[in-house]
Amino acid sequence: MKECCVPENDVPMWPSDDKDTSSAEPKGTAGDGEATAWLSIKGLANGKTEELAVPNVTSEPDSWFSPVVEVEDEPDVPETPTPKWSAFAPVTPVEPKEPEAPKTVFVKPVDPQRAGKPDWDQFDRAAATPARDPEPDPEPSRLEPPRQEQPPRQEQQRREPRLEQPRRPEQNRIEPPRPAQVPSATMHARPVRIEPTPEPPATERFDSEATVGIQQPEPPSEEPPAAETEAAPAPKPKKKRKRKVLVIASVVIVLLLAGLGGAAAMPKVSNRLGLPWAPNAPKGDIPKPAGVSRVLHGPDVNGVAPTKAGLAAALKGPAGSADLGTLTGVVVDAATGDVLWDKNSGTPLTPASTTKILIVAAALLGLDHGMQLSTKIVQGADPGTVILVAGGDPSLTALPLGTDSPLYPGSAHVDDLVAQVKKAGGGKISKVQLDVSLFKGPTSAKGWDPEDTAAGNTYMAPVFPVMADGGRPDPKNDHSPRIANPATTLTQKIAGKLEAQAGSTVTAPKDAKVLAEVKSPPLPELANSLLQLSDNMLADALARQIALAKGGEASFVGGAAATMDVLKQAGFDLTGVQLNDGSGLSDQNKIPAKVLSEILTVAAAPDGQDPRTAKLRPLLAGLPVAGGSGTLEKRYGDPSSSAGRGWVRGKTGTLSGVNTLAGVVLDTDGRMLVFALMSSGSDQDKGRAALDVVAATLHKCGCR
């Protein structure tokens, strides 16, 4: 028997109690006092047919090992009966679903010098091999022969010892061959050494291919089978990953809380959030809201009034400026009504827009302060026809509902009219007609410059009793070019919103059914907008309302006449006054500075001193503030007049060669002074600046 086919470490070290005595030893097989049973198998080894020695090891109850037979793949052969010499029970060959390719097993030659000594290096190599999956391979190509049924045992199954599979020298990794097909009687077997090993640790598992088809009796044990008591521990990388995620999340949360805490500690942040530790947090209980009265009160009468001499000395230089041209004016103590300075105040001059002081005063004196101008849409004579009835309100805005007009705060909306008509029903609207019969006479006044009403001008549109945004195409821009025919334009806009056609001009029946109605802000709010913007259209509209209230004609002439009648009836001396419109665009208007000062003095008088004062107070509220609002917003920026910023309130007037300013101012002693300044023949820019210097001087001096 040649030993070239047995690996050098295949010298078994059999335990004394596992000797096999069931078979007789063939010729020349005795070795080391152990008997080896020779099976009559002929096979090809090293190119020759020889007997192959296989130990006949029986599966005894107390055995520590079980034999393993490794076979080489050979081509399929006819099925033959299982030989009687086999130590295993007969098995029925199982054909795999797909035949596997033959594998070649390389056997390391036996080193004669190391014969009889165990090769411990194999265990080192096995230890270096990565652990295999302890679970059996579920692939259908790995087939195991059926095992013999044995009575159930309570003893713990001993784990199979790991056997190192032969490998190619050039391979760095041990690749055990797949289990071969069940051997037949004609297949060759080669000897395989089986050596018991110590009990492996719980975490170690052996390749199932090493003991295919072998049942292993195990020593008795009182412990339950390992498969029932201890499952193979699965790798736990997820716990580490979860732990890492938790740590990162905790750090992020801590950093965020620290950042938020630091931000909350900053005064600006804590003040904005209203935190308890904020610097501006209330130190006590929040007081209850107090009532607010918007009624203007009279000036302080306790201050010392300036003297006439002192005031004359202070105004000598500013009032004598050549930039003022011909200057007339007057300064009055509002508390006493005494005239402190006068320069030809009775001489009528062109007032320009200071004419509006007379219109607002007459409206506040002659009209109810709760009056609102109405715009309606009524049912027309024909089915599907409606009529837009003008009520004299130029503040109606085309801005969407919910958007307040910056020019006329609180004004009514065109969209509101349209929505009411749609809600009223009555069928499809096919035509929208226009009724502008409220106003009479021409649409422009005597003395107006044709350029002031030409298409595209920024001063005035033709005067009609109905329009949107004072005849401006841009509801938010006071200086946008005016529309040539604002009433017709509004009719077309409403017709478009109702999906109808704009019709002709008609007079609506007095008893026509009202489908929609909107109203302007009350009179004091209209007066405020008129004075702040120096709104020419609104001034002439109010003059016509005064005429209507007095039973006159709603025209330029009727409005001027009604205004003068109301002021005369209120006790004002209107000597030298000539009015042709309410806006002051007419250069034919004449007003002495004295008249302007008298009206303003009554409006600024102490409470209870004059019964007319209560009605005229809104006149003062509407006056623009120097450097702050209205037509004075961009003035008083020059160093010579900057002292008057915020202290001077006045109505401006400007035409070609005309500059006027009338209003009130507080001096350094807190005394209220009323002034009216009218310049004729002056340059526009220089004349304005010179007037501002005079008013600012009134504020700076104590004038005693």
Side-chain angles (χ1 to χ4, degrees), residues 483-574:
I483 300 172
N485 194 332
T488 301
T489 301
L490 177 59
T491 305
Q492 294 172 348
K493 183 183 293 292
I494 293 175
K497 291 178 178 293
L498 293 173
E499 298 181 354
Q501 297 293 326
S504 58
T505 300
V506 297
T507 300
K510 293 183 179 180
D511 58 350
K513 179 182 178 181
V514 178
L515 301 178
E517 181 179 10
V518 294
K519 294 184 178 182
S520 72
L523 175 62
E525 297 182 28
L526 291 176
N528 185 81
S529 298
L530 186 159
L531 294 171
Q532 285 286 322
L533 300 175
S534 191
D535 194 281
N536 296 320
M537 181 64 70
L538 192 53
D540 278 311
L542 277 183
R544 283 167 167 76
Q545 294 297 329
I546 298 171
L548 291 172
K550 293 300 179 180
E553 182 182 68
S555 61
F556 285 108
V557 175
T563 298
M564 294 185 67
D565 288 345
V566 170
L567 293 175
K568 286 178 180 180
Q569 292 176 6
F572 293 103
D573 183 4
L574 300 182

Side-chain angles (χ1 to χ4, degrees), residues 104 166 370 590 614 621:
T104 303
K590 302 296 179 182

Side-chain angles (χ1 to χ4, degrees), residues 277-340:
W277 56 84
N280 64 353
K283 306 304 180 183
D285 296 336
I286 299 176
K288 295 181 179 180
V292 177
S293 175
R294 301 185 63 183
V295 178
L296 293 175
H297 297 283
D300 185 6
V301 297
N302 297 322
V304 180
T307 64
K308 295 183 178 180
L311 191 59
L315 295 179
K316 182 177 181 180
S321 173
D323 294 335
L324 292 173
T326 300
L327 176 67
T328 63
V330 61
V331 177
V332 180
D333 181 3
T336 62
D338 295 339
V339 176
L340 302 177

Side-chain angles (χ1 to χ4, degrees), residues 158-169:
R158 181 160 313 265
R159 298 177 178 85
E160 300 92 359
R162 179 183 296 274
L163 297 180
E164 178 180 316
Q165 301 296 332
R167 58 179 180 174
R168 299 182 182 180

Side-chain angles (χ1 to χ4, degrees), residues 278 284 353 356 359 518 630 658:
S353 285
K356 295 180 175 71
I359 303 301
V518 294
V658 175

